[in-house]
């Protein structure tokens, strides 16, 4: 079985007119990582593992080839035969020309999400003063400092955005050389186990909430702790101004490859992020051009603004967000073991639901039960890497886009019905993601008389691939700990796959909430998911899907 790669999309169809059923089947099989012959013409592809991210990649690739197909159209009837009919019967678009060539070393504009992160990190902003930062630890043995430092330098040379600096005028620029000072080594090898553990805790405390000097090009760092008995711990930090989840996977995989043998590392991509943004701008068109993707998306959102809520879930607070001067995030998590996850996934597919939407709906139910409002915004990051060039899949950069979901739990509804409604909404909203969420929030504020509009509660799901590639474990050690923080966010739910199962992690600003609230809410969430899974072989486990979710909450 081939390994799925959600960062690339097959582009082997010269014309939509000549597109065969087998062409569509092979494209679907490639993103699913299965043999094409295993997919029947009329089979629901969600049952074979198709999800929103993969459908977005396919839609983008086919649009690049001239089809007018959208993600929403693919999601309405996800079968090979329906997609073939859609692609061959629909009108085609003229082949999209790329944008003008750009100087890869010149300053260029931030994306809307980058700009939000960059402004939000300012100390004067509410819940600011923190970087959008991911910090990971890898526990192994025998990692050699000289080899690790050389590997880091090879990776920095390969990926331009790991050498990016962020200018005072709100632009970014890729430097010819990284300002990284080299590998910091903490030598605790002669300390006893107890002292070594204390030292490691101090290093974690110092590095996990670090705010990089991005104006100077400080966007990534790797440090190494040497421990008793030849054990090692790698400390990896990266600013999410320069990398999304898929990019972190690429960086870690390249780091492991370069540590093993620098000759195994591929050369730098010839296509860079500055050119991608220019090509994306040309592809989206202008808001004033009727029928352009951007104009269509703006009209879509402006029609929906009058019926949208203006804020996220109103959870109980121990302090006003503006009163917290130094936000500190804490992580809580649990893992759904493979048998439990398989039961949830199998049941979801019977309803035509993606597993991600099951998790998002359960999360929304818990937020609604504990919050004081029944109609609220949920912030959903999309890893929106459009296939505008064959090398886009090899780029490290922040391709994140944000989409708002309007969660309405004002009336009880069967869980599966609620999930299907949110899934349809996500498909529609993601299809119109060219109009940025920041613009939608500005429209909401204007429509509500200047009231503050925001979506500080996040659902970020990455089930398409293993977050940490297996070669990292082989070369550098086991992924043992992680935390992330994002400026102006209250609660960030992240989902990853590991060998142990599916990890569901909540990173929250603890000082915002009453003591024990996050723990109680997370327990409610876990209990709801275990109820949806049901005991293995239980004949009545469908009941949890066909009745309103039972969630203990204190908000209502």
């Amino acid at each position: 079985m081939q390994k799925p790669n959600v960062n690339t999309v097959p582009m082997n169809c010269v014309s939509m007119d000549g597109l065969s059923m087998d062409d569509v089947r092979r494209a679907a099989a490639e993103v699913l990582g299965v043999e094409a012959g295993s997919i029947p013409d009329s089979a629901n592809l969600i049952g074979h593992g198709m999800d929103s991210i993969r459908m977005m990649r396919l839609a983008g690739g086919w649009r690049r080839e001239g089809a007018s197909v959208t993600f929403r159209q693919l999601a309405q009837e996800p079968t090979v035969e329906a997609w073939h009919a859609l692609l061959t019967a629909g009108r085609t678009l003229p082949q999209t020309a790329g944008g003008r060539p750009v100087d890869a070393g010149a300053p260029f504009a931030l994306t809307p999400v980058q700009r939000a992160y960059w402004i939000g990190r300012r100390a004067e902003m509410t819940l600011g003063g923190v970087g959008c930062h991911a910090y990971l630890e890898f526990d192994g043995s025998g990692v050699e400092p000289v080899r690790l430092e050389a590997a880091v330098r090879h990776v920095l040379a390969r990926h331009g955005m790991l050498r990016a600096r962020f200018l005072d005028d709100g632009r970014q620029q890729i430097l010819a050389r990284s300002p990284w000072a080299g590998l910091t080594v903490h030598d605790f090898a002669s300390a006893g186990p107890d002292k070594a553990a204390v030292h490691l805790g101090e290093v974690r405390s110092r590095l996990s909430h670090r705010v990089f000097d991005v104006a100077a090009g400080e966007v990534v760092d790797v440090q190494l702790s040497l421990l008793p008995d030849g054990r090692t711990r790698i400390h990896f930090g990266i600013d999410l101004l320069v990398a999304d989840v898929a990019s972190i996977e690429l960086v870690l995989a390249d780091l492991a490859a370069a540590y093993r043998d620098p000759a195994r590392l591929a050369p730098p991509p010839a296509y860079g992020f500055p050119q991608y943004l220019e090509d994306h701008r040309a592809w989206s068109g202008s808001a004033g051009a009727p029928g352009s993707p951007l104009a269509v998306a703006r009209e879509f959102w402006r029609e929906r603004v009058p019926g949208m809520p203006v804020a996220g879930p109103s959870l109980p607070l121990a302090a006003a967000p503006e009163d917290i001067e130094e936000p500190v995030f804490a992580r809580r998590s649990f893992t759904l073991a493979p048998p439990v996850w398989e039961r949830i996934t199998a049941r979801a597919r019977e309803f035509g639901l993606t597993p991600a939407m099951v998790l998002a709906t359960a999360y929304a139910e818990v937020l609604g039960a504990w919050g004081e409002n029944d109609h609220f915004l949920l912030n959903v990051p999309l890893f929106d890497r459009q296939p505008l060039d064959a090398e886009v899949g090899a780029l490290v950069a922040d391709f994140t886009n944000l989409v708002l979901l309007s969660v309405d739990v004002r009336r009880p509804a069967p869980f599966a019905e609620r999930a299907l409604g949110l899934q349809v909404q996500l498909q529609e909203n993601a299809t119109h993601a060219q109009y940025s969420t920041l613009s939608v929030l500005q429209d909401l504020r204007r429509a509500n008389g200047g009231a503050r509009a925001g979506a500080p509660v996040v659902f970020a799901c990455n089930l398409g691939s293993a977050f940490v590639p297996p070669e990292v474990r082989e070369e550098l050690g086991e992924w043992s700990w992680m935390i992330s923080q994002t400026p102006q966010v209250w609660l960030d739910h992240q989902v990853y796959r590991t060998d142990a199962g599916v990890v569901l992690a909540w990173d929250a600003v603890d000082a915002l909430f009453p003591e024990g609230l996050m723990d109680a809410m997370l327990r409610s969430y876990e209990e709801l998911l275990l109820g949806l899974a049901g005991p293995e072989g239980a004949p009545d486990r469908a009941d949890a899907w066909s009745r309103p979710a039972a969630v203990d909450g204190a908000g209502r």
Side-chain angles (χ1 to χ4, degrees), residues 483-497:
I483 195 167
S484 69
Q485 49 269 334
T486 306
Q488 301 189 293
V489 163
W490 294 8
L491 169 62
D492 187 353
H493 178 14
Q494 300 180 29
V495 182
Y496 305 103
R497 276 179 39 217

Side-chain angles (χ1 to χ4, degrees), residues 140-190:
S141 62
V143 173
E144 301 173 17
V146 173
R147 287 177 64 194
L148 181 60
E149 177 167 337
V152 174
R153 293 199 183 281
H154 281 292
V155 175
L156 294 176
R158 180 166 192 260
H159 296 292
M161 286 302 292
L162 299 184
R163 307 189 303 274
R165 65 171 179 166
F166 291 79
L167 308 176
D168 291 341
D169 63 3
R171 294 183 296 167
Q172 56 194 320
Q173 182 179 26
I174 295 175
L175 301 172
R177 288 179 56 83
S178 168
W180 186 60
L183 186 71
T184 300
V185 178
H186 309 277
D187 191 349
F188 309 135
S190 60

Side-chain angles (χ1 to χ4, degrees), residues 2 142 199 307 376 390:
Q2 64 191 45
H199 291 317
F376 55 86

Side-chain angles (χ1 to χ4, degrees), residues 261-528:
D261 179 4
R264 297 179 54 170
L265 201 60
Y271 186 82
F273 193 52
Q275 188 64 57
Y276 172 88
L277 293 183
E278 172 60 22
D279 291 347
H280 191 276
R281 183 202 59 75
W283 170 72
S284 296
S286 70
S292 72
L294 178 55
V296 170
R298 184 177 67 170
E299 184 62 25
F300 170 87
W301 283 106
R302 289 188 169 178
E303 288 177 356
R304 279 152 184 77
V305 158
M308 290 176 65
V310 75
S314 183
L315 297 172
L317 297 179
E322 57 270 20
D323 292 339
I324 296 177
E325 295 182 359
E326 296 183 7
V328 176
F329 284 77
R331 169 159 288 204
R332 296 165 177 81
S333 67
F334 63 91
T335 300
L336 293 176
V340 175
W341 181 243
E342 287 167 8
R343 293 200 298 275
I344 290 175
T345 299
R347 191 61 181 156
R349 289 171 178 167
E350 291 176 24
F351 286 97
L353 289 166
T354 64
M357 287 312 303
V358 173
L359 298 177
T361 304
Y363 183 49
E365 292 284 358
V366 171
L367 294 169
W370 287 84
E372 297 177 359
N373 52 345
D374 299 332
H375 193 203
F376 55 86
L377 295 175
L378 187 60
N379 195 339
V380 181
L382 296 177
F383 307 117
D384 195 15
R385 188 184 295 242
Q386 293 296 328
L388 302 180
D389 184 89
E391 289 194 294
V392 168
L395 293 184
V396 166
D398 181 24
F399 294 90
T400 307
N401 208 337
L402 302 175
V403 167
L404 297 176
L405 285 183
S406 296
V407 176
D408 189 347
V409 293
R410 287 175 288 191
R411 69 169 184 87
F415 180 86
E417 177 185 317
R418 185 100 75 202
L420 284 167
L422 283 177
Q423 180 167 286
V424 169
Q425 186 188 156
L426 176 65
Q427 291 163 355
E428 291 177 339
N429 294 0
T431 298
H432 299 90
Q434 294 87 358
Y435 191 63
S436 75
T437 286
L438 296 182
S439 297
V440 176
L441 291 173
Q442 289 170 354
D443 292 344
L444 275 171
R445 185 162 53 247
R446 283 191 291 267
N448 288 274
R452 178 183 297 177
V457 176
V458 178
F459 174 78
C461 187
N462 180 46
L463 289 171
S465 60
F467 178 54
V468 175
E471 54 266 34
V472 175
R473 180 192 316 123
E474 297 165 8
E475 298 296 331
L476 305 176
E478 293 281 350
W479 174 31
S480 56
W481 198 78
M482 177 183 176
I483 195 167
S484 69
Q485 49 269 334
T486 306
Q488 301 189 293
V489 163
W490 294 8
L491 169 62
D492 187 353
H493 178 14
Q494 300 180 29
V495 182
Y496 305 103
R497 276 179 39 217
T498 68
D499 290 344
V502 173
V503 178
L504 299 112
W506 288 12
D507 292 335
V509 180
D510 268 9
L512 266 178
F513 305 107
E515 185 176 355
L517 177 71
M518 288 291 105
D519 296 308
M521 288 178 61
L522 190 66
R523 283 196 300 272
S524 294
Y525 180 48
E526 183 176 12
E527 289 167 2
L528 176 53

Side-chain angles (χ1 to χ4, degrees), residues 117-142:
Y117 292 163
W118 180 70
I119 293 174
R121 68 194 291 132
R122 297 175 182 170
E124 66 270 20
M125 301 298 292
T126 299
L127 295 181
V130 298
C132 193
H133 178 235
Y135 170 78
L136 297 84
E137 294 178 347
F138 300 91
D139 289 342
S141 62

Side-chain angles (χ1 to χ4, degrees), residues 204-226:
R204 176 183 291 176
S205 177
R206 187 166 62 252
L207 298 182
S208 61
H209 284 75
R210 183 176 174 185
V211 180
F212 284 129
D213 184 1
V214 296
E218 184 183 79
V219 294
V220 65
D221 188 32
V222 178
Q223 300 189 17
L224 177 66
S225 289
L226 305 177

Side-chain angles (χ1 to χ4, degrees), residues 4 6 31-32 49-59 463-464:
V6 298
V31 298
L32 289 172
M50 187 66 69
D51 56 23
S52 298
I53 292 175
R54 291 179 171 90
M55 276 190 275
M56 288 178 68
R57 303 300 176 208
L58 286 166
L463 289 171

